[in-house]
Amino acid sequence: MTNNTVSRRGVLGGMAAVAMADLAARAARAAAPALPSAPVSLSIVDVAGTLELTRPAFDAYLKAKPHLVSSINYSKAPAPELPGKLKAEQAAKRLDIDMVLTGIDALSAGLKQGIWEPLFPNYADVLPAPASIYQPHALEMQQFAQNQALEVVFCPAGPLLEYNPALVPTPPTTTAALLAWAQANPKQFIYARPANSGPARIFLMGLPYLLGDKNPRDPKNGWDKTWAYLAALGKTIEYYPSGTGAVMQELGSGLRAMTPTQTGWDINPRALGVVPASVQVTKFDNQIIVCDAQYMAIPKGVEPGKLAVLLDLMNFMLQPAQQAVTYDKGYFYPGPAVKNVPLSMAPASSQQVIATYGRPWYDDMIATAPTYMPLAADDLVYALARWDQQIGVITAS
């Protein structure tokens, strides 16, 4: 009898807990604000180059929904500086940014500082369910956002090595060979500060796998080989540019011979003529892929009417027709984060760029190489800060 009573109480208590949790979730979802009665003006800051891929889709939203948005004002900012700026604006209650387009760098820092508006479960009723729209690895990248941003573009990135064949007739295909080449050719290898460079960040996170480090997910206690390798490599490097664009200009001019790259940063600069079409890319013998993504995030404190429009805009940006434009000129190849968006859906100009400047072996590499997610937010913040403090100061004399 006692057992039955206890069991019955347990069941009833469990049912009550489930019911209360459901009510709480419903209450949170009910918090989605109403759309405004008059169009609003939006301010969007890009810290990752995302507008290169998505501007046509934003323009399409502006054209399709003039009753919701009157204008969109765009600006750019360095990724390392934006989270602190937003934190200060929020503290002063003078927020002038409505949406941030960000890579995992500023997203991670913002997660650590608590500056992003939680999207799930708060607005689950008005946003697409991530599990229903994203392709598998992109869905894993969405989890990186901790429900505080929505992934808008996706790239199974690298790391790869991009080189000038006139200066590097036999490219290295192992980490040991890369270091030996850099030591034999001082100041010819270059990469940017990882806190503000996608290819450099992918290189940083890929090395622990390529080197066989103790724990590639733990930059504090598991990267002994990686930190030593980066220090040795740094002695061959003249300086670290602030961003990838400067790296590509130096590679394109012939001033440098080799740099870490990822699929999009190979295709796009050649398509734009920044880097000669003759520049080549090699992969490592034990090639792996560290994925990359860019996100739409809303700072906490955006007024309700604008927030409602931003949620609607996020929905729009994740529709297949808008995702198809993110093939762009190969900048974040492939680009689309959602599933069932083949290259044949992309604009004809994008298809031509990929046909001309893409590399046929990329798709096979993406399909077959072991694939890993970036570091968790706190670990990435630690790794970037440690690189700044210990590696960024090591350069060739």
Side-chain angles (χ1 to χ4, degrees):
M1 182 175 182
T2 302
N3 287 341
N4 288 340
T5 303
V6 170
S7 179
R8 197 178 301 120
R9 285 176 179 170
V11 170
L12 292 173
M15 291 173 64
V18 169
M20 290 179 66
D22 183 62
L23 285 172
R26 288 174 181 270
R29 290 197 294 268
L35 289 166
S37 57
V40 299
S41 177
L42 299 177
S43 172
I44 297 179
V45 175
D46 179 11
V47 300
T50 313
L51 284 172
E52 295 285 337
L53 305 159
T54 57
R55 179 63 185 268
F58 281 111
D59 290 345
Y61 183 82
L62 185 63
K63 182 178 180 180
K65 304 207 175 183
H67 60 292
L68 294 181
V69 59
S70 58
S71 64
I72 302 178
N73 300 308
Y74 303 100
S75 59
K76 296 185 178 183
E81 298 173 11
L82 185 74
K85 170 182 166 61
L86 278 174
K87 189 76 171 177
E89 288 185 2
Q90 289 167 334
K93 300 187 183 304
R94 298 185 62 179
L95 187 67
D96 63 5
I97 296 170
D98 301 316
M99 175 182 278
V100 176
L101 303 175
T102 176
I104 61 175
D105 42 13
L107 177 63
S108 299
L111 290 169
K112 192 173 181 65
Q113 295 182 42
I115 62 175
W116 307 124
E117 178 74 31
L119 300 179
F120 298 96
N122 301 39
Y123 311 119
D125 283 354
V126 296
L127 289 172
S132 71
I133 64 168
Y134 289 122
Q135 53 179 296
H137 288 313
L139 181 60
E140 291 185 71
M141 288 297 295
Q142 173 58 29
Q143 295 170 9
F144 183 90
Q146 299 178 23
N147 292 324
Q148 296 177 47
L150 272 173
E151 184 180 357
V152 65
V153 289
F154 168 72
C155 175
L160 300 163
L161 293 175
E162 189 165 356
Y163 65 97
N164 182 337
L167 301 174
V168 189
T170 306
T173 58
T174 66
T175 51
L178 170 60
L179 179 58
W181 181 91
Q183 289 170 335
N185 298 272
K187 302 181 182 180
Q188 287 297 296
F189 186 77
I190 189 172
Y191 69 96
R193 181 190 177 202
N196 200 41
S197 168
R201 198 160 51 247
I202 294 298
F203 181 60
L204 175 67
M205 292 187 290
L207 277 175
Y209 296 99
L210 296 172
L211 290 166
D213 240 326
K214 182 171 61 177
N215 185 353
R217 308 294 304 171
D218 183 0
K220 186 174 184 179
N221 300 306
W223 281 22
D224 291 350
K225 293 179 181 178
T226 297
W227 294 121
Y229 185 90
L230 289 168
L233 190 62
K235 293 177 181 178
T236 75
I237 294 173
E238 186 169 15
Y239 84 111
Y240 301 97
S242 61
T244 317
V247 171
M248 291 300 164
Q249 289 175 356
E250 296 204 9
L251 181 69
S253 70
L255 186 61
R256 313 291 172 183
M258 191 185 309
T259 186
T261 196
Q262 60 190 64
T263 52
W265 271 104
D266 162 42
I267 296 170
N268 185 252
R270 288 186 297 120
L272 297 179
V274 176
V275 172
S278 59
V279 164
Q280 295 296 317
V281 169
T282 189
K283 59 182 179 178
F284 291 93
D285 291 344
N286 57 337
Q287 183 68 43
I288 55 95
I289 287 175
V290 177
C291 292
D292 200 3
Q294 295 176 357
Y295 301 81
M296 302 176 286
I298 301 172
K300 289 179 178 177
V302 172
E303 63 183 65
K306 286 189 174 184
L307 177 57
V309 174
L310 291 167
L311 296 172
D312 186 67
L313 172 59
M314 286 178 160
N315 264 302
F316 184 85
M317 297 295 290
L318 293 173
Q319 294 173 5
Q322 309 311 321
Q323 285 281 294
V325 307
T326 65
Y327 280 100
D328 181 57
K329 295 181 175 64
Y331 173 64
F332 213 64
Y333 185 80
V338 307
K339 55 190 175 185
N340 300 323
V341 185
L343 180 60
S344 59
M345 286 183 63
S349 58
S350 295
Q351 296 185 45
Q352 182 60 48
V353 165
I354 302 306
T356 304
Y357 298 100
R359 301 191 191 273
W361 55 270
Y362 275 172
D363 289 346
D364 181 64
M365 177 192 72
I366 290 169
T368 59
T371 299
Y372 301 97
M373 294 299 108
L375 293 173
D378 286 352
D379 291 324
L380 179 57
V381 170
Y382 171 86
L384 295 176
R386 181 164 174 177
W387 187 96
D388 283 347
Q389 295 162 6
Q390 294 186 3
I391 306 302
V393 297
I394 302 173
T395 57
S397 58

